[in-house]
Amino acid sequence: MNLKDRWSRLDPATRKWLTDNPGCQILPRTIVAVISKETGENLATGQHGEAAISREDQAFIRSKADGVPGAQADH
């Protein structure tokens, strides 16, 4: 998964959840389902429907949550 490339397709409420939970390493199945619906892509999931967030995505989400200049621009 690469959330940075999919960010503009995510609903504002989904973006808010991600930036409100910047330390999350495993997305709950409910959030995975929402992201899959919003992007039209099936995410790789574990046995219980959760999806791991890559370190790159974690850094991207933290930059969004911290308001790093340039990170706030929606593509």
Side-chain angles (χ1 to χ4, degrees):
M1 167 177 26
N2 184 329
L3 288 173
K4 183 176 182 179
D5 293 340
R6 294 166 176 85
W7 192 256
S8 65
R9 293 190 275 166
L10 298 179
D11 185 84
T14 305
R15 293 182 200 173
K16 181 170 178 9
W17 188 95
L18 291 166
T19 57
D20 284 350
N21 298 279
C24 183
Q25 296 179 352
I26 304 289
L27 292 174
R29 67 179 172 219
T30 53
I31 298 300
V32 171
V34 169
I35 291 172
S36 292
K37 182 179 178 185
E38 291 172 353
T39 63
E41 301 174 30
N42 290 323
L43 304 179
T45 61
Q47 178 179 349
H48 300 288
E50 298 100 348
I53 300 177
S54 70
R55 289 183 184 207
E56 179 183 352
D57 280 336
Q58 290 173 23
F60 173 74
I61 292 167
R62 278 193 294 275
S63 73
K64 289 290 205 177
D66 293 341
V68 172
Q72 295 297 325
D74 293 327
H75 304 279

